[in-house]
C-alpha cells in the first residue's frame, strides 16, 4: 500500500530545478498521489496544465488568505466560473480559510464562506487553512455548513476542537508538526484519534520535520511523518501495514482519487 500526500505545493518555485525528478522519486517510493492546493486565481488556472503534465498529481482551486493583497472583488465570480468549468479535474476547493495573523478578517470570512458555498455547489471537499482562528471557522461553518467535509490542514488544536471538526465531516491533516517534542498538545490529540479521521501531509516546501529545519521540505518526508505517527500511537511493526492502508483509504475516499 502506498502513501498520499494530501497537501503539498509542488508548483512552487523551490521545486523548479528538481520537480520532474522529485515526482519520479515519489512514485518510486510509493508516494503515488500528490494533492496540490490552489492559492490564487492565476495559480489555480495554471494547475490544470500542471496536473496534466505530472503523474499522480491532483489539484484544488482556491484563494489562500496569505495572498489577500492580490485579491480583487471580481475574483470570487471568476473562481466560481473556473471551478464549474474544470470540476472534473478538481478534487477539492481550497486552500481557503481564516488567519488571524493577516488583516481584514471580515473580508477573509466573506471569501472563506464563498469557498464553502462553492464546494457545496460542486459536491467537493474543502482544504481549510487556520491560524488562531478555530472559533472564526466554527462561526463560518454555522452560517454556511460544509456538506462534503474536507481537511483541516496542519491541524493544531485541542481534542474538543478536533472532535468538532470530525463531527462536521472533516479529517485532520497530520504533518511535520508532530515530529517536534514541543508540540505536545497536537501530538497527544493526534495519538488519540482513529486513522479514519486523519490524513498525512507535508505542506512542502514548508513545515520541515524536526532535524530538517532550514531545508526545503518535500513529499519524500511523508514516510517519516508516518513513522512518527506510528510511534505516537504505539503501533508496532506487525500492524503498520494495516494502519498505512487505513490512512491511504481515508484520504482516497475523501478526495475520491
Amino acid at each position: 500500500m502506498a502513501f498520499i500526500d494530501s497537501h503539498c505545493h509542488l508548483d512552487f518555485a523551490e521545486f523548479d530545478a528538481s520537480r520532474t525528478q522529485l515526482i519520479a522519486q515519489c512514485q518510486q517510493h510509493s508516494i503515488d498521489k500528490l494533492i496540490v492546493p490552489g492559492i490564487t486565481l492565476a495559480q489555480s488556472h495554471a494547475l490544470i496544465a500542471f496536473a496534466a503534465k505530472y503523474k499522480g498529481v491532483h489539484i484544488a482551486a482556491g484563494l489562500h488568505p496569505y495572498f489577500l493583497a492580490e485579491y480583487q472583488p471580481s475574483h470570487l465570480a471568476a473562481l466560481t466560473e473556473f471551478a464549474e468549468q474544470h470540476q472534473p479535474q478538481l478534487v477539492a476547493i481550497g486552500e481557503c480559510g481564516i488567519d488571524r495573523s493577516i488583516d481584514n478578517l471580515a473580508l477573509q470570512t466573506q471569501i472563506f464562506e464563498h469557498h464553502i458555498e462553492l464546494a457545496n455547489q460542486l459536491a467537493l471537499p474543502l482544504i481549510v487553512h487556520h491560524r488562531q482562528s478555530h472559533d472564526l471557522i466554527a462561526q463560518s461553518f454555522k452560517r454556511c455548513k460544509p456538506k462534503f467535509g474536507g481537511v483541516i490542514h496542519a491541524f493544531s488544536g485541542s481534542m474538543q476542537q478536533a472532535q468538532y471538526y470530525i463531527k462536521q465531516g472533516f479529517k485532520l491533516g497530520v504533518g511535520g508538526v508532530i515530529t517536534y517534542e514541543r508540540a505536545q498538545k497536537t501530538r497527544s490529540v493526534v495519538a488519540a484519534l482513529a486513522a479514519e479521521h486523519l490524513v498525512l501531509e507535508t505542506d512542502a516546501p514548508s513545515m520541515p520535520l524536526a532535524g530538517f529545519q532550514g531545508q526545503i521540505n518535500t513529499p519524500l518526508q511523508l514516510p517519516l511523518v508516518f513513522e512518527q505517527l506510528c510511534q505516537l500511537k504505539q503501533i508496532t511493526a506487525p500492524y503498520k501495514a494495516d494502519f498505512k492502508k487505513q490512512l491511504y483509504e481515508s484520504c482516497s475516499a475523501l478526495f475520491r482519487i
Side-chain angles (χ1 to χ4, degrees), residues 36-47:
V36 180
I39 54 170
T40 68
L41 185 61
Q43 178 261 3
S44 293
H45 277 265
L47 284 179

Side-chain angles (χ1 to χ4, degrees), residues 86-128:
H86 294 283
Q87 182 181 7
Q89 290 105 325
L90 301 178
V91 299
I93 296 298
E95 183 174 355
C96 57
I98 303 175
D99 190 313
R100 267 203 170 91
S101 72
I102 299 166
D103 291 337
N104 207 334
L105 289 174
L107 179 57
Q108 287 190 57
T109 299
Q110 177 192 347
I111 295 170
F112 178 48
E113 291 179 9
H114 181 90
H115 282 76
I116 301 172
E117 292 171 354
L118 180 58
N120 287 345
Q121 175 190 333
L122 299 181
L124 290 171
L126 289 158
I127 298 173
V128 178

Side-chain angles (χ1 to χ4, degrees), residues 9-34:
H9 298 280
L10 291 178
D11 59 324
F12 279 17
E14 286 91 335
F15 298 115
D16 284 353
S18 61
R19 186 175 295 112
T20 300
Q21 180 183 5
L22 173 60
I23 293 175
Q25 288 176 314
C26 287
Q27 298 293 329
Q28 292 164 9
H29 287 82
S30 297
I31 305 163
D32 69 345
K33 296 175 183 176
L34 305 151

Side-chain angles (χ1 to χ4, degrees), residues 4-10 14-15 18-19 21-23 25-26 29 31 34 175-176 200-209 212 214-225:
I4 301 174
D5 190 338
S6 68
H7 196 115
C8 53
H9 298 280
L10 291 178
E14 286 91 335
F15 298 115
S18 61
R19 186 175 295 112
Q21 180 183 5
L22 173 60
I23 293 175
Q25 288 176 314
C26 287
H29 287 82
I31 305 163
L34 305 151
L200 298 177
E201 61 178 32
T202 61
D203 200 24
S206 302
M207 293 179 65
L209 281 62
F212 296 88
Q215 299 181 30
I216 294 174
N217 193 19
T218 83
L220 293 173
Q221 299 289 61
L222 206 63
L224 295 181
V225 176

Side-chain angles (χ1 to χ4, degrees), residues 166-219:
I166 289 167
K167 286 179 182 178
Q168 302 303 311
F170 282 77
K171 299 181 188 297
L172 308 180
V174 178
V177 168
I178 66 166
T179 66
Y180 289 86
E181 287 287 342
R182 66 176 181 269
Q184 284 303 318
K185 179 176 71 173
T186 301
R187 284 158 59 95
S188 63
V189 170
V190 166
L193 295 174
E196 66 189 275
H197 304 310
L198 307 174
V199 294
L200 298 177
E201 61 178 32
T202 61
D203 200 24
S206 302
M207 293 179 65
L209 281 62
F212 296 88
Q213 295 94 323
Q215 299 181 30
I216 294 174
N217 193 19
T218 83

